[in-house]
Amino acid sequence: MKTSIVTTRALGVVALALIFALNVTPASSAQPVPECSMSMTLADWGENSSGDIDVASGQSCQIPIGIRGTVTDSAISQKPAYGKLKKINASTFEYKAKAKYKGSDTFAIKATGQGPKASGTSIITVRATIK
């Protein structure tokens, strides 16, 4: 029993030493995805909005839903043609542009929420410029 514990501890120390010696970053300390460079025209809840983002080819950025108030639900209502869009939580999405593609892409997010002046469902159409 003692031999097993000592061997397990020794293997753990060797693994940590190897990580530091090779300068490998563990997956848990990955860099966060930055917010997209955006220009948005946001309306109140229940009104549709649109905006533009810039992203580098093959790169990712996050898109927060910026309508004032609380987002209660959201979903992808139109998928992008030249990238991937994924929901992080009710108020944030992540867009990843297709590698080696340069041009434009369009997608839409359907969000429901409650604001200080209105509540309802809005469609947010995003035009991406991929550089």
Side-chain angles (χ1 to χ4, degrees):
M1 183 81 164
K2 285 185 180 181
T3 304
S4 176
I5 293 172
V6 170
T7 303
T8 303
R9 285 186 183 162
L11 287 174
V13 170
V14 169
L16 283 175
L18 188 56
I19 287 172
F20 289 117
L22 294 175
N23 197 20
V24 175
T25 305
S28 62
S29 64
Q31 294 293 325
V33 175
E35 277 192 20
C36 296
S37 170
M38 310 185 255
S39 171
M40 295 273 181
T41 303
L42 295 172
D44 283 328
W45 288 106
E47 299 173 2
N48 294 337
S49 302
S50 64
D52 299 291
I53 64 169
D54 292 325
V55 63
S57 179
Q59 298 298 307
S60 297
C61 62
Q62 289 187 356
I63 303 163
I65 296 172
I67 302 174
R68 290 183 0 161
T70 304
V71 180
T72 55
D73 191 29
S74 64
I76 298 167
S77 66
Q78 177 187 336
K79 293 180 181 182
Y82 300 102
K84 294 188 185 247
L85 184 64
K86 81 175 180 180
K87 182 177 174 178
I88 304 296
N89 57 46
S91 62
T92 308
F93 287 77
E94 182 179 323
Y95 175 74
K96 181 170 184 175
K98 184 177 179 180
K100 299 181 183 178
Y101 173 77
K102 293 185 182 191
S104 61
D105 201 359
T106 303
F107 55 89
I109 298 166
K110 179 179 178 180
T112 303
Q114 172 75 44
K117 294 183 180 180
S119 63
T121 300
S122 300
I123 302 293
I124 303 164
T125 302
V126 180
R127 292 174 301 274
T129 299
I130 305 160
K131 300 176 179 181

